Amino acid sequence: MHEARRSPRVAPAIAAAALVAGAVFATPGAAFADSTPTPTPTPTASPGPLNDGTVSVQMSPSANGVVTPGAAYSVQVQVTNGTASTLAPGAVEVELDRTRLADDAALSSWLAPADGVTATTVPVGSASMPSVPSGATHSVSVTIDPGAFGLTEWGAYGVSAEVTVAGDVEATSRSAVVWNQGGAPTADPVALVAPITVPVTTSALLSSDELKAYTAPDGVLTAQLDAYADRPVALAIDPRIIASIRVLGTRAPESASAWLARLADVSNDTFALQYGDADLSAQAQAGLPSALTPTSFSWALDASDFASGTVPTTDQLLAWNWTSTGVAWPRDGTVVADDFGFYLASGLETPLIGSSQLTDSSGGEFPGSSALIGDSPVLVSDRAASVAARGSVSDTDEITRGQSIAELSAALAVDAQRSASTGDRGTLIVLDRDSTPPASTDRLFSALESVPWAGTTDFSDLVDSVRSTTASATLVDSAEPAERVDQVRSVLGTIPRLDTFSSVLDDPQLIQGRSRAVALSTLANAWADRPAAFATATSDVVNATAKTLESVQIVDGSSITMVSNQSELPITLANDLPYPVSVVLHAVPSNGRLVVGQTDTPVTLEASSRKSVKIPLEAQVANGQVLLRLQLLAPDGTVLSSPPARQVTVSADWETVGTAVAGGLVVVLFGIGITREIIKRRRRHAAQSAEDEAAQSTAHEEVAE
């Protein structure tokens, strides 16, 4: 008897990198051979060695992990040497744990044991391994004699593969098989869920170019639909994709319109994700009373794009013939008990929670596809089966894919045992939320069809039956990271600010509708695996909001001197929005030296324009400094712009003094003129008198003679 020693299972991406490096020494078909292969050539180093400092191993049990008594069986083992030196020749040994895996917890514990946990195993087959150069991989098939298993009871069992060199274990991998000797339980109905999403972005809608790329023959949306259309899997669809195509009307790319028509024709069950696949848990834990939803797409619609000449409503853009409604699918491991009130307030009556967050009455991981958490019925996705199914569609080589398929067969066997003993029938498998198209789904659906202890069922049937469940479960709170919640709050905080600002528009939804769509896209679940990129994205949204809030403002001006008692002060207003706005220019002086003729001046600013507005001013008797406080207001009084006060120097009494001086000068000049005229007249009168006297004297003299 041996105790299997644990080493980490190499991630599929690492195995894929090794394959790309050209270091695989067995053909893909050999991964599932049922007979001993011919000796493989000595491995050689790959062009791009994978030097991660470890030796790792993957194992792929043949026949989808199903062992039939009396039949030859094999396990394909792949060794990757990530050390800097050559791995010496050794052996690969396959071992079996003869304790049946009775439930999901036992299976999960076997596949990913806690540190220090070991299991009692027996060797069932071995093969020699040549030296493996640094950065190379080597594959070998280990044949297991039909009688080596020594099992007598149908069910799932753990298997492991050890790589040993000179008696030392270099690496270990674990998987599982199903001993199929007969007596299998009745087939347990299995439902699958797969997302239809696109790569993350903060865009409110997908652009025409993005849609064209995503729906091209090699596009992500085409690949997703190719993988899942008309197969036993429910499609969880991001409504942003639907709205983005419809909002373009006749301008939508032909490939996008064809893709949407194809989606409408598939036989799959469907339900809606949040717009942009927005993170429900983050919204709830950030303090929203209910889920954010789109309110309008008026900012993106043009009547000329529609044959009817009439733009569709928001409801029409988002409408779909969903087979299930009210489903909330929060990301695995992010739910807390307080979130359930948020779901109900959002009209989401059927949460879908991962089994890793639920425990049964014994304290173990909850088994089953539905449960009651308090008074709330929930759908429950099976962790072990979901992890295995995700690996089966994302793994890029046959070894790792075969390992995932074997583990899926075992998980379904465990679920069938549970259904038979408890009567709680049904297993729910959810695939990865990532938009990356599956590498292949053929093996997954083939396995589901081939194992007699599992059968497919419609997701909508599970949704319809969830309210009749009586199995109780306890939720183990697992909140979103605090940093992520804070970043989500910063994005959500932009919405009320933009709502208030939007009152400058005749149609506030031109801003409000867009801001909500941007926020929802920014809260996409896929950002959770890219924390640095998410931090940048949220910062960009906050900065863009600040720029929008500054787009309608008073342009800074200089101080002025007012030398007359009445004047008009020109104020320049700017509107950088692509829409006309209605504003009010508010002006108030700091003291009584200055009176504003019109405190509030309504103004209409055209889109992307500037305009000069003149404010009438009147100076009072006193001179001095006055601060003229200016504000640009929305019609409802919201302050849009409040620049520093303008300094006005009032010197209006110079006009009075000047007038008085000028008047005095006029009086003086007029007086001088009058005086001169009087003098002139007096002189003329004196001269005339003298002439008269002379004339009289002459006349007297003539008479005397």
Side-chain angles (χ1 to χ4, degrees):
M1 306 284 282
H2 299 276
E3 288 191 346
R5 296 173 58 183
R6 175 183 176 235
S7 73
R9 175 180 172 183
V10 173
I14 297 178
L19 289 174
V20 172
V24 179
F25 295 93
T27 63
F32 299 95
D34 288 331
S35 60
T36 304
T38 56
T40 55
T42 301
T44 57
S46 64
L50 182 64
N51 291 326
D52 64 357
T54 65
V55 175
S56 57
V57 59
Q58 294 80 48
M59 62 184 301
S60 174
S62 62
N64 293 338
V66 179
V67 182
T68 301
Y73 197 75
S74 65
V75 175
Q76 193 79 5
V77 179
Q78 179 173 275
V79 181
T80 300
N81 180 13
T83 68
S85 57
T86 297
L87 181 66
V92 174
E93 187 172 84
V94 175
E95 299 184 341
L96 171 72
D97 185 338
R98 287 180 172 151
T99 302
R100 190 171 75 154
L101 300 170
D103 52 33
D104 287 338
L107 176 60
S108 296
S109 178
W110 166 260
L111 294 175
D115 291 339
V117 175
T118 59
T120 302
T121 61
V122 294
V124 291
S126 64
S128 61
M129 179 193 70
S131 61
V132 182
S134 171
T137 63
H138 176 70
S139 295
V140 61
S141 183
V142 178
T143 299
I144 301 175
D145 185 87
F149 285 95
L151 300 173
T152 59
E153 186 178 18
W154 181 94
Y157 296 85
V159 292
S160 64
E162 285 186 346
V163 176
T164 60
V165 174
D168 294 328
V169 177
E170 298 291 337
T172 302
S173 179
R174 288 188 172 194
S175 189
V177 295
V178 178
W179 180 253
N180 189 28
Q181 69 172 32
T186 303
D188 187 44
V190 178
L192 281 82
V193 173
I196 300 295
T197 57
V198 295
V200 288
T201 172
T202 59
S203 300
L205 287 166
L206 302 175
S207 69
S208 177
D209 288 343
E210 287 173 324
L211 289 170
K212 186 175 181 180
Y214 295 155
T215 57
D218 59 348
V220 295
L221 289 176
T222 300
Q224 290 172 9
L225 209 49
D226 287 345
Y228 302 128
D230 300 319
R231 305 188 90 163
V233 54
L235 304 180
I237 304 170
D238 176 2
R240 183 175 63 149
I241 301 169
I242 299 170
S244 296
I245 297 172
R246 287 175 171 169
V247 81
L248 293 173
T250 56
R251 290 189 299 112
E254 184 177 347
S255 62
S257 298
W259 181 90
L260 190 61
R262 182 187 174 197
L263 179 66
D265 287 340
V266 299
S267 60
N268 305 64
D269 277 353
T270 58
F271 69 91
L273 296 171
Q274 293 298 290
Y275 187 91
D277 191 23
D279 188 339
L280 283 169
S281 297
Q283 294 177 64
Q285 292 162 35
L288 283 187
S290 61
L292 195 64
T293 58
T295 56
S296 174
F297 295 97
S298 59
W299 48 273
L301 292 168
D302 187 335
S304 64
D305 293 331
F306 299 89
S308 65
T310 303
V311 298
T313 65
T314 299
D315 288 343
Q316 289 171 333
L317 290 170
L318 295 171
W320 198 256
N321 187 26
W322 308 110
T323 58
S324 295
T325 57
V327 177
W329 185 15
R331 199 173 68 260
D332 285 352
T334 63
V335 180
V336 298
D338 289 343
D339 294 348
F340 286 92
F342 170 87
Y343 299 147
L344 289 175
S346 306
L348 303 172
E349 301 174 348
T350 311
L352 196 170
I353 312 295
S355 64
S356 61
Q357 275 198 254
L358 301 178
T359 60
D360 59 15
S361 57
S362 67
E365 185 171 322
F366 180 83
S369 60
S370 60
L372 280 174
I373 300 178
D375 295 329
S376 300
V378 300
L379 291 170
V380 182
S381 64
D382 186 283
R383 174 173 60 168
S386 295
V387 169
R390 292 170 188 175
S392 74
V393 300
S394 64
D395 293 335
T396 55
D397 72 281
E398 288 299 323
I399 299 292
T400 52
R401 184 177 295 131
Q403 184 164 1
S404 294
I405 288 292
E407 291 164 11
L408 176 61
S409 295
L412 295 176
V414 168
D415 289 336
Q417 290 173 196
R418 177 259 307 160
S419 294
S421 62
T422 66
D424 181 13
R425 298 181 56 74
T427 296
L428 179 56
I429 295 174
V430 294
L431 299 182
D432 207 325
R433 295 292 277 266
D434 196 292
S435 63
T436 303
S440 174
T441 57
D442 292 341
R443 288 287 304 277
L444 169 63
F445 293 116
S446 175
L448 290 175
E449 293 170 359
S450 65
V451 294
W453 50 88
T456 57
T457 189
D458 291 336
F459 174 77
S460 56
D461 289 343
L462 291 185
V463 174
D464 292 341
S465 64
V466 69
R467 299 201 173 281
S468 62
T469 187
T470 58
S472 295
T474 300
L475 178 73
V476 179
D477 282 356
S478 179
E480 295 262 15
E483 182 179 13
R484 177 172 170 80
V485 173
D486 287 341
Q487 291 164 337
V488 168
R489 284 197 188 100
S490 71
V491 173
L492 296 176
T494 65
I495 294 175
R497 296 170 64 196
L498 289 170
D499 282 356
T500 301
F501 173 80
S502 67
S503 62
V504 299
L505 304 178
D506 289 339
D507 179 9
Q509 285 295 336
L510 292 172
I511 289 178
Q512 293 180 12
R514 187 186 189 102
S515 70
R516 280 163 174 74
V518 167
L520 284 162
S521 297
T522 307
L523 302 186
N525 280 288
W527 287 110
D529 295 329
R530 303 165 58 190
F534 182 62
T536 300
T538 55
S539 177
D540 288 346
V541 170
V542 172
N543 292 337
T545 298
K547 185 175 181 180
T548 298
L549 296 174
E550 295 171 356
S551 59
V552 180
Q553 60 180 320
I554 299 171
V555 178
D556 289 342
S558 58
S559 301
I560 62 170
T561 299
M562 184 174 173
V563 296
S564 62
N565 67 338
Q566 290 186 338
S567 182
E568 289 184 330
L569 177 63
I571 303 295
T572 301
L573 308 181
N575 173 25
D576 294 333
L577 291 175
Y579 317 111
V581 299
S582 298
V583 294
V584 175
L585 180 59
H586 181 70
V588 177
S590 61
N591 57 53
R593 293 188 179 96
L594 194 65
V595 174
V596 176
Q598 187 172 351
T599 302
D600 293 319
T601 305
V603 182
T604 297
L605 298 175
E606 296 303 320
S608 304
S609 69
R610 291 194 173 201
K611 186 173 186 177
S612 180
V613 179
K614 294 182 179 180
I615 299 177
L617 303 176
E618 182 178 350
Q620 299 302 294
V621 176
N623 295 330
Q625 305 293 327
V626 180
L627 293 178
L628 185 62
R629 297 186 176 90
L630 301 173
Q631 287 183 320
L632 196 60
L633 309 177
D636 65 357
T638 300
V639 178
L640 305 175
S641 176
S642 186
R646 301 278 180 91
Q647 181 174 296
V648 179
T649 301
V650 179
S651 299
D653 58 346
W654 282 102
E655 182 180 37
T656 303
V657 172
T659 301
V661 170
L665 289 174
V666 170
V667 171
V668 170
L669 292 174
F670 185 71
I672 292 173
I674 292 175
T675 301
R676 290 180 63 188
E677 185 63 27
I678 292 173
I679 293 172
K680 286 181 180 180
R681 288 183 178 183
R682 285 180 177 177
R683 286 177 179 173
R684 286 198 298 269
H685 181 71
Q688 185 65 43
S689 296
E691 290 178 359
D692 291 344
E693 289 178 358
Q696 289 179 359
S697 176
T698 301
H700 287 307
E701 288 178 358
E702 290 178 353
V703 172
E705 291 179 357

